[in-house]
Amino acid sequence: MQVDLRTPWWIGAVRIPTRLVLAPMAGVSVQAFRRQGRRFGAGLVCSEMVSCAGIEHRNERTLGYLRVGSDEHPLAIQIFGSEPATMAEAARMVEAAGADIVDINFGCPVKKVTKTGAGATLLEDPARAVGIVRAVAEAVDIPVSVKMRRGLENGSRACLDIGPRLEEAGAASLTLHPRSARQMYTGDADHTLTAELVERVEVPVVASGDVTSRARAQAVLATTGAAAVMVGRGAQGNPWALREILGEDGAGPSREEVAAELVLFVRETVRELGERRASGFLKKFYGWYLGRGRFPRPFKQELVQLPTTEEVERRLLTAAPGAADLLERLEAELPTGDEILLDMPISVYGGG
């Protein structure tokens, strides 16, 4: 049976307008990425991981300010750490910043995070994990969600044991990426685990992992009973994938559309991060946008070598002259509104 991904659902009291969630990804999920995801149909967007230790100490090199734009809602801000009290304080701050949901990361497989007792390590320390969720849920008035992997090791079923306990502690939603931390992003996501988790809890479950097309999204929803799907790597440089998954537009973008969206993304990222940081940050996006046969491979290499984002814009608009009119239209349609700035360091580690 086909599921209409354009129907709303709820996390606690927060209404999510579509059943498509844009994943939190470290080094990717800046505000420009999230705002674009909302334009292309994501019902919920998520920040990259925010270090609760960075919030507590405030002496970590600041990598940027987390901005909450008026057009991002509903928005989840994801935090990670290993101490309940510190995580509770971080949750209070992200609630004050305007987040609709506070998301807790129990899925990051990266050693720099797991060695501190955070991320996926907490799946093997259920008492501490439950303590963190309870502390966070008691600290804020907004819903709490948890993103997790199956466990640390291949074949682990830790997520199924801990899921009901997290719900009891106050989690209003669970997201499962059914790979182990050891797998990182290799192999396949085992969504039979997702189906088992759905059976064990009453809160909505979001299915994450290998959701790259409408057919795959429909298959995962039909076989698991999950409330929604989460898309991550498939949306990198490819927001059109979100529309295809929703069933709104199966046609691929033209060169002009790709160039216009990329220039807009460049401008929004520069506005957010500043020219110096944005220039390096954006280089990986050039390959993501221009790949899939959209532009010749040497063109991507040419863009990476350009010293400023202004030169990148100029080269893109020269290569696809029709993009200028599309870009003007896109910028005119962008909503304007006040932003709330969350003054805290952002971690560059992890994802999950």
Side-chain angles (χ1 to χ4, degrees), residues 145-209:
S145 60
V146 179
K147 186 169 189 283
M148 56 185 177
R149 287 196 171 222
R150 67 181 299 164
L152 285 178
E153 301 298 330
N154 296 342
S156 172
R157 293 170 59 84
C159 61
L160 300 181
D161 296 327
I162 201 171
R165 297 181 62 182
L166 300 180
E167 176 186 19
E168 185 180 354
S173 178
L174 300 172
T175 298
L176 178 61
H177 182 159
R179 283 183 171 90
S180 68
R182 181 179 293 276
Q183 275 183 279
M184 298 291 284
Y185 295 97
T186 63
D188 297 321
D190 181 4
H191 282 294
T192 61
L193 285 173
T194 310
E196 288 190 63
L197 181 63
V198 169
E199 289 295 319
R200 294 189 183 205
V201 298
E202 297 297 325
V203 296
V205 173
V206 179
S208 174

Side-chain angles (χ1 to χ4, degrees), residues 25 28 33 36 232-241 253 258 261-262 265 284-292 294:
M25 291 177 282
V28 175
F33 184 79
Q36 182 185 66
R233 289 171 292 164
Q236 292 174 348
N238 192 29
W240 300 275
V258 172
E261 283 291 344
L262 178 50
F265 187 81
K284 58 181 173 286
F285 284 89
Y286 301 152
W288 291 340
Y289 273 90
L290 304 178
R292 302 175 177 88
R294 295 168 180 167

Side-chain angles (χ1 to χ4, degrees), residues 116-153:
T116 69
T121 302
L122 286 160
L123 297 172
E124 307 295 337
D125 191 353
R128 182 177 291 270
V130 167
I132 287 171
V133 172
R134 181 171 290 116
V136 169
E138 291 175 354
V140 297
D141 293 325
I142 58 176
V144 175
S145 60
V146 179
K147 186 169 189 283
M148 56 185 177
R149 287 196 171 222
R150 67 181 299 164
L152 285 178
E153 301 298 330

